[in-house]
Amino acid sequence: MENNATQPPVGQPRPAHYSLMPLINSAFLPGHCLETVQAIADIKERDVAMGEYYYFSGQPEKAAKEMEPYLASEELALRLSACLVYAYANLATGNIRLARHAMTEMERSYTEVMRAPDASPEEKAMVTFVSATAAVLLHLPLKDGRAFDTANLALLPPGLRFFACYVQAHYAYLQGDYSRSIGNVEMALALQPQVYPIPTIYLRLIAVMNYMGLKKSEQAKEQLQLAWEIARPDGLIEPFGEHHGLLGGVLEATLKKDYPEAFKQIINITYSFSEGWRKVHNPDTGHDVADNLTTTEFAIAMLAARGWTYQEISAHIGCSVNTVKAHMKSVMSKLGVEQKNDLKKYMLK
């Protein structure tokens, strides 16, 4: 099978920035992820792509180990790739010190490149993309509005361009601009010349989040199923665990019954990732996202905080109204609140 991981336009020499996140930048058919990684000719890029595979398939310990040798690489694209994956892998394993170290290295690389008089536009686009990706996915404030410039987006290789569209859509979602976010997703998916599975999974998941924000649960479920069809053949379950808290119970409504084992794996990822995520997000933002709720309680509380009635939540998740009420009673007790409106300060945006 042909590997499209790092192929430049036909007839042009291969630019260095095509080494950035080579698996995200790979177009392949679902079920051929490992085959794609193994087909990468450059050994160092293959190692980095393998680290990506380990991360996206819910194996953060292996991902961190694979990436560690490249944290100080002289090749900017490999170093940035390693730092980004290493940071998130260590969030998932609870090694917050190591996660912060990798984030510091990303910021250092950004500063060095942006100050260098001979830095190329592609190098500036790379450091901007990685810096913004790290911040947006942690719901941290963006510095200098980085990565949301169309010129920077155009300088990225194709697969990363689509993942950057996801980052843009995620940022719009955090601003509460659900319609614009969905527009970004639809445009990106329509423009894909071939399937880039990892960006596509993330784009579909942000669509789920937006549709739930607009109380369009059927469209949300459809997007979740489309993401799952791409992810399932290669076991790319990490994105589902990362986004669980923002999916508004759609995982429970779609995967829990038909894919119980995969659902359990995703929930395990959710617990470990969200614990690490909060240890960076909460102190850095002062936003006290709840850390003592079960995943089901959190999903129900998110919907309640957005104004969903118990009857609507019951119909969406597929449980009785009394079950919803029981979960809400537990939520209110754990958080020490008396009104549903008070839930908002403990929930994700």
Side-chain angles (χ1 to χ4, degrees):
M1 180 180 180
E2 181 182 1
N3 170 43
N4 295 305
T6 53
Q7 298 304 311
V10 175
Q12 296 184 20
R14 184 179 175 284
H17 69 297
Y18 272 66
S19 300
L20 181 64
M21 302 298 288
L23 186 57
I24 285 182
N25 194 38
S26 293
F28 58 89
L29 295 175
H32 294 272
C33 186
L34 270 178
E35 182 181 344
T36 298
V37 172
Q38 293 162 356
I40 296 176
D42 184 272
I43 294 175
K44 291 182 287 187
E45 285 183 32
R46 192 188 316 144
D47 287 345
V48 169
M50 183 60 74
E52 291 177 81
Y53 166 74
Y54 284 141
Y55 178 75
F56 293 121
S57 60
Q59 303 177 74
E61 294 89 352
K62 290 184 177 180
K65 184 177 180 181
E66 196 75 37
M67 292 301 196
E68 192 168 14
Y70 296 97
L71 293 174
S73 174
E74 293 183 359
E75 297 180 48
L76 179 63
L78 298 181
R79 182 169 75 251
L80 292 172
S81 303
C83 286
L84 184 59
V85 175
Y86 191 79
Y88 275 83
N90 277 291
L91 286 181
T93 58
N95 293 313
I96 307 305
R97 181 183 62 82
L98 296 179
R100 285 193 178 278
H101 168 72
M103 293 171 67
T104 299
E105 287 301 301
M106 283 186 274
E107 190 63 21
R108 183 182 64 79
S109 294
Y110 176 88
T111 301
E112 288 182 354
V113 168
M114 298 305 281
R115 290 178 178 175
D118 58 345
S120 69
E122 289 79 13
E123 288 174 327
K124 292 179 179 179
M126 281 195 291
V127 294
T128 303
F129 164 77
V130 170
S131 176
T133 298
V136 170
L137 272 61
L138 278 164
H139 298 188
L140 300 178
L142 276 174
K143 300 177 181 178
D144 312 319
R146 55 185 74 169
F148 298 100
D149 181 281
T150 303
N152 278 334
L153 191 69
L155 290 169
L156 296 170
L160 291 184
R161 206 172 299 157
F162 291 115
F163 195 86
C165 288
Y166 153 77
V167 177
Q168 287 183 319
H170 199 137
Y171 184 72
Y173 167 87
L174 293 176
Q175 308 309 305
D177 196 345
Y178 304 139
S179 296
R180 180 164 65 91
S181 183
I182 289 174
N184 288 346
V185 170
E186 291 176 346
M187 180 68 72
L189 292 172
L191 292 176
Q192 278 193 359
Q194 49 194 330
V195 178
Y196 290 88
I198 294 172
T200 300
I201 292 166
Y202 277 85
L203 285 164
R204 296 287 186 193
L205 290 177
I206 201 72
V208 173
M209 291 157 48
N210 284 299
Y211 280 126
M212 289 304 295
L214 295 169
K215 296 185 74 170
K216 296 182 177 181
S217 59
E218 291 307 311
Q219 290 95 323
K221 291 174 184 178
E222 179 183 358
Q223 290 296 322
L224 193 287
Q225 291 286 4
L226 290 170
W228 183 242
E229 288 173 9
I230 294 174
R232 186 169 65 90
D234 294 297
L236 302 176
I237 60 175
E238 178 70 28
F240 297 84
E242 286 179 9
H243 291 80
H244 177 276
L246 294 166
L247 297 177
V250 179
L251 279 173
E252 284 77 3
T254 55
L255 297 188
K256 187 173 183 179
K257 180 180 178 181
D258 294 334
Y259 301 95
E261 291 305 314
F263 179 78
K264 289 178 183 178
Q265 288 180 292
I266 291 170
I267 294 303
N268 287 336
I269 289 171
T270 299
Y271 279 122
S272 58
F273 181 83
S274 60
E275 181 179 358
W277 185 93
R278 283 189 297 264
K279 287 180 179 177
V280 174
H281 170 84
N282 286 7
D284 284 14
T285 64
H287 181 199
D288 192 20
V289 176
D291 63 357
N292 59 342
L293 305 181
T294 68
T295 53
T296 300
E297 288 172 345
F298 197 98
I300 289 174
M302 278 283 291
L303 296 174
R306 291 179 172 180
W308 287 52
T309 67
Y310 290 162
Q311 289 77 14
E312 288 172 329
I313 297 172
S314 168
H316 170 59
I317 294 181
C319 63
S320 70
V321 172
N322 285 337
T323 298
V324 174
K325 289 180 177 179
H327 281 302
M328 281 299 298
K329 183 178 180 180
S330 176
V331 168
M332 307 286 265
S333 174
K334 288 181 178 180
L335 298 181
V337 300
E338 296 181 359
Q339 304 293 328
K340 286 198 291 184
N341 286 339
D342 295 331
L343 293 172
K344 291 182 180 180
K345 63 181 179 181
Y346 297 106
M347 296 294 104
L348 296 165
K349 291 185 178 181

